[in-house]
Every structure is written in structure tokens, then in C-alpha cells.
Amino acid sequence: MGSDPVRTLRLPMNSGPVTAVAAMPNGRSLVCASTDNVRMWNLADDSASDGARAAVPFQIVPGHHGGAISSILVDERSRYMLTTSGNRGWEGSSNNLHLGYEISPLDR
């Protein structure tokens, strides 16, 4: 078993540290959160071998901005996703937030 990663995903330089990650049950997407946004990565994009990878390999999930996302939950049927964030008042004001999303899974 090797120690090299199978694949590396890089957030934009100004996104801040990763605070939560969740794999979608369909095996084709990964949800990754940082202090600026929640992003859904398309893991099914195998075009890296021919150099034609999409310029932006993720979608921004609207709703969160400016608070550290502490949790991402996806139900086993990929129907709902829940995210929570907040800065706990460390920056002078609190922005605690919980969002629920109805999602449509990608087919295998």
C-alpha cells in the first residue's frame, strides 16, 4: 500500500483552511467546506489524463460565507444535505447558521 494520494484537490488560495468534508454516497462528489464557502467537487471528471480538466472543478453551494463550517451531513439516499457554521462570537459578533438543502444525486 503506497503513501501517495490518489488525487489532490486544491481550494483557491484565498479560501482559508478546510473545516469540514463529506463524501456523497453516490461516490461521484465530495463536499468540502472552508471559511469562505462550501464547494461540491465532481470526482467523476477523469479528463486529467488528456489535460482537458475543467477550469473550475467544483460548484459553490450557496448560503455560507464568512463563518467556519463545522459540519456537513448528507443522508444515505443523497436527498438532503445539512451544513452548520459559526464563529462563536470570536470576532465580536456571532453568525451561527444551519442550512438545509434538498439535493438531487447524480446517477452512477
Side-chain angles (χ1 to χ4, degrees):
M1 178 154 84
S3 61
D4 293 334
V6 174
R7 186 164 177 187
T8 302
L9 304 173
R10 295 189 189 275
L11 294 174
M13 293 294 287
N14 61 349
S15 70
V18 172
T19 57
V21 175
M24 296 293 284
N26 65 11
R28 296 182 66 183
S29 299
L30 180 74
V31 182
C32 181
S34 61
T35 55
D36 69 337
N37 284 308
V38 176
R39 292 172 174 85
M40 185 174 296
W41 294 79
N42 178 8
L43 300 177
D45 181 7
D46 292 330
S47 60
S49 61
D50 63 9
R53 183 173 293 283
V56 180
F58 56 80
Q59 283 184 298
I60 301 283
V61 178
H64 289 284
H65 186 74
I69 289 87
S70 57
S71 183
I72 301 170
L73 299 170
V74 179
D75 76 302
E76 63 187 36
R77 293 177 56 197
S78 294
R79 292 181 20 209
Y80 304 102
M81 179 173 69
L82 304 174
T83 58
T84 58
S85 70
N87 63 9
R88 298 183 179 138
W90 293 335
E91 297 159 4
S93 64
S94 178
N95 66 350
N96 297 326
L97 185 62
H98 164 81
L99 294 175
Y101 302 89
E102 188 171 356
I103 57 177
S104 297
L106 295 171
D107 293 329
R108 287 189 184 258

